[in-house]
Amino acid sequence: MLGRFIAERARLIVALGIAVALLAGAIGAGTINALSLNRFEAPGSESMRVREALARDHRTGSPNLALLVTARQGRVDDPALTGAGEALTRELAAHPGVGAAWSYWSEGERETLRSRDGRQALILAWAPGDANQVRRDLLPVLTPAFTRTSDALTVRVGGSDEVFRQTMTQARQDFLRAELLVLPLVLLLLWWVYRRISPALLTVGIGLFAVFGSLAMLRGVVAFTDVSTFAANIALVMGIGLGVDYGLFVVFRFREELRGGHAVPDAVARTVRGAGRTVLFSGGTVAASLSVLLVFPFPFLRSFAYAGVAVVLAAVTGATVLLPAALSLLGRRVERRGPVPDVTEGPWYRVARRVMRRPFVFGGAALAVLLLLGAPFLGVRFGLPDDRVLPTSAPARQLYDQVRAGFPVEEADAIQLVASGASPETVAPYAAALSRLPGVARVDSSAGSYRGGSRSTDHPGGPDHLGQRLVVLPTSARLAEDATGLVRDVRAVPAPFPVEAGGYPAELTDYRDGVTSKLPLVGGLIVSVTFVLLFLMTGSLIAPLKATVLNVLSLSVMFGVLVLVFQQGHFSDLLGFTPTGTIEPSVPILMFCIAYGLSMDYEVFLLARIKEEYDRTGDALASVPLGIARSAPLVTAAAAILAVSFATYATGQVVFLKQLGVGMALAILVDATLIRGVLLPVLMRLAGPANWWAPMPLRRLHRRIGLPG
């Protein structure tokens, strides 16, 4: 019905589609500036309460800005440089938007704020406000103002907010460069697949329609909630990917209907009825996979859900409405030139038949390869991001490379404790106990500074301004090896008064714990929702169960390689990044949701054709190679194009993008070959007629609520 309507009003629909795309592009162009910058923070957590208390009661906070001052001659203790350092500290403290500033010179020449060789010193500052205020409003003005070189010294700007401001800037450049590379590559690959330029241009057009449409929808979401700038990047990469996937499927099906002898209007109607249903189910699985990110209370992760659902809506609309209308106008001009071989003569049919004849041999070999590649994931260590997500050429990265090499402690990474009802008498034994923890360099309190359980002779009086605050300075080694463990150790020390721990390490720890604690829920929701969708499509319990097992195997390879490469550091020189021994959990979670949805995408394409053959012939075994032969060329082409699209992001300079590019490209290629080409026919061969089994009550339920083919 819908297909016939589209064929009859094709010109009007195409004209409206172009108008909508242009309008969406105009609206979406303003989306980028409306998106928010986010920090790694867990709303309502202990560390957030400490941040609020520090700002409210003490007019300070964890330093998120830093100036590295380097003496060009002499040492930072020289009288001339001491005066310059004091003046620079006052200048930074007085800069609009800066709440407090302190330095080596203002803190009684603390050795932790001076390099070991005496040539460098740090000025630290706290700038209040959210990430948008600091990174978008303050730092673009402050950084050039304080980046200076004189005869006596050089000054460079750093701090956690400057690191991630530079990360966002670099990521945006990497994404734009990748997209400029992806579009001609995708167009070339599509021309090679279709052997005609017109369907190639149409398919790329659907990808662009998905990008413009999703950005326009995000502009509406921004009116009600914060959406991260990374959501625009996901809209770009997934818009092209899903648009190409769905466009390929529709064009392939339209060509098949034309080869079957149907007139163009009939071919359009049959394409929308058959391929449109499959695209709808596929889009539902991808949207469901990404929408589970809404369970996280973090705007950063929730933003990917908004972007993912918007991309699916735009891509499905373009592929099932706009593309069929355009195909109706082009008609037989999209057909492939030259004869088309019978599906039983193609390589995928022969491979499926061979695999099904010896299922244990081929299935066992494929399973062994997948388990071997996925095994490194057993040693995963989730950790905290730092400046090493940036390339070594980035100014903030260069600053912190010098700090790591020259300073005994990174004082900006101190753990901040806020106590209630404490006095110097009760604080003293507590501070001494904290200072005895492994990996603690010093504890500053109103009762004095403590090292190894004893009051420091270097700073016996302790900073008077601390009041009911304590500052725990970790050693660089403990911070690098086990920052979250140190935070837990600090929180576990018994205190004679109520106390809470915050500071940058605690904030990242609370964020990491908040993310990882919801992983079982996220995984369970994705599996459950996609299981229900596949049941509605197939009426089977075995097909969704098999799809879940195959998807888990596919994703285990992706995570295993992430650990092998980005945690353990293999091929780091080739890819151009610095391994830290841990993986920040947000990006792998995003990759899990995208990869699971795309894996189910290909499962839907294959199952739909196999089910069609089974419904037509009633032969549970013969329908498998026939269905695979009809859909595998499409899946292979879509996977190759999507893998190339993601792989371009591995050329980026930010580690997060490299992870996305390498992990997603590998997951897609493994899924389209070993998973769908070997294990899928093996499992269907072993299950036989049980592939389409469901108990009678569920079969009756499917007849009532399932979507017919």
Side-chain angles (χ1 to χ4, degrees), residues 383-403:
L384 313 176
D386 59 24
D387 59 281
R388 286 170 289 184
V389 302
L390 287 167
T392 55
S393 59
R397 169 66 187 276
Q398 293 174 348
L399 183 150
Y400 281 104
D401 282 342
Q402 294 182 56
V403 170

Side-chain angles (χ1 to χ4, degrees), residues 406-622:
F407 286 72
V409 173
E410 295 183 45
E411 193 155 326
D413 292 325
I415 299 173
Q416 307 276 344
L417 302 179
V418 174
S420 300
S423 64
E425 292 75 21
T426 56
V427 162
Y430 178 58
L434 290 170
S435 70
R436 286 191 290 266
L437 290 174
V440 171
R442 192 182 76 228
V443 176
D444 293 333
S445 72
S446 59
S449 296
Y450 289 81
R451 301 173 187 268
S454 302
R455 196 172 185 183
S456 172
T457 56
D458 295 332
H459 303 282
D464 294 333
H465 62 78
L466 284 177
Q468 295 190 16
R469 286 198 302 132
L470 298 95
V471 179
V472 179
L473 275 70
T475 63
S476 297
R478 181 71 190 272
L479 198 65
E481 294 170 5
D482 187 25
T484 57
L486 176 61
V487 172
R488 293 194 178 96
D489 289 347
V490 168
R491 287 173 171 170
V493 173
F497 37 73
V499 63
E500 289 189 312
Y504 191 58
E507 290 174 9
L508 293 180
T509 296
D510 289 345
Y511 176 81
R512 195 204 75 160
D513 290 347
V515 170
T516 55
S517 67
K518 291 189 179 294
L519 289 182
L521 176 61
V522 169
L525 283 174
I526 288 181
V527 170
S528 300
V529 172
T530 53
F531 192 98
V532 170
L533 286 172
L534 278 182
F535 169 74
L536 291 175
M537 174 185 169
T538 64
S540 165
L541 285 186
I542 302 301
L545 180 62
K546 173 184 59 62
T548 300
V549 172
L550 292 178
N551 280 3
V552 169
L553 286 172
S554 176
L555 295 178
S556 69
V557 172
M558 180 181 72
F559 288 128
V561 171
L562 279 182
V563 170
L564 185 72
V565 175
F566 293 97
Q567 177 178 307
Q568 298 176 2
H570 299 283
F571 309 109
S572 58
D573 290 339
L574 177 65
L575 290 170
F577 71 94
T578 303
T580 61
T582 61
I583 293 179
E584 193 280 315
S586 298
V587 173
I589 288 173
L590 171 65
M591 292 168 62
F592 168 76
C593 294
I594 295 176
Y596 195 94
L598 292 176
S599 296
M600 200 62 79
D601 208 19
Y602 299 144
E603 182 78 8
V604 167
F605 288 169
L606 289 164
L607 280 183
R609 297 313 299 262
I610 294 172
K611 185 68 163 55
E612 283 183 22
E613 295 297 327
Y614 175 70
D615 291 340
R616 184 175 63 85
T617 64
D619 191 329
L621 295 183

Side-chain angles (χ1 to χ4, degrees), residues 87-139:
L88 191 59
T89 305
R90 291 192 297 270
E91 181 185 355
L92 181 60
H95 192 279
V98 174
W102 58 99
S103 68
Y104 170 70
W105 300 280
S106 68
E107 292 293 298
E109 298 186 345
R110 288 186 180 276
E111 74 284 354
T112 50
L113 291 171
R114 184 190 62 184
S115 62
R116 296 182 185 91
D117 62 10
R119 295 190 62 250
Q120 294 180 309
L122 282 169
I123 302 174
L124 302 179
W126 166 69
D130 59 25
N132 279 323
Q133 293 170 299
V134 177
R135 299 177 192 173
R136 190 169 280 164
D137 300 333
L138 173 62
L139 286 174

